Amino acid sequence: MFFNINILSLMLGFFFANILSTIPAQTGDWNIISGSVIVTFNEIVNKCVYSKNNIRNSILIKLVNNIKIGIVYGLFVDAFKLGS
């Protein structure tokens, strides 16, 4: 059961990456702000996941970490699509 939820959260992050890379870039004014929001979210999740506390075993933290990994993966795929 948890394997399916983990895969689903990865795909949700990939979907969010497509949203984050297309919608704010329509005007061209929001590129820096959306990039800073993504980096801030990434660092906050990294702090929660990789801290020395024992909250790493929480299912919610694992799901948010999988969404973060999906966002980063989706942004890399979009960058490769734009580069080719």
Side-chain angles (χ1 to χ4, degrees):
M1 178 177 142
F2 292 117
F3 182 72
N4 293 335
I5 294 173
N6 287 334
I7 297 296
L8 184 65
S9 63
L10 280 171
M11 293 299 125
L12 183 67
F14 188 78
F15 178 70
F16 282 156
N18 288 330
I19 291 172
L20 291 172
S21 66
T22 56
I23 291 176
Q26 292 295 323
T27 60
D29 298 335
W30 292 92
N31 289 335
I32 296 172
I33 295 171
S34 64
S36 64
V37 168
I38 292 169
V39 168
T40 304
F41 171 73
N42 191 8
E43 292 297 324
I44 290 171
V45 171
N46 283 339
K47 183 179 179 184
C48 291
V49 170
Y50 299 114
S51 67
K52 293 185 180 183
N53 297 337
N54 288 331
I55 62 170
R56 292 187 298 190
N57 297 329
S58 172
I59 295 172
L60 180 65
I61 295 295
K62 288 181 181 179
L63 292 178
V64 172
N65 191 33
N66 285 333
I67 291 173
K68 177 197 63 126
I69 292 169
I71 289 173
V72 171
Y73 176 69
L75 291 175
F76 272 109
V77 169
D78 283 343
F80 286 131
K81 286 191 291 190
L82 291 174
S84 63

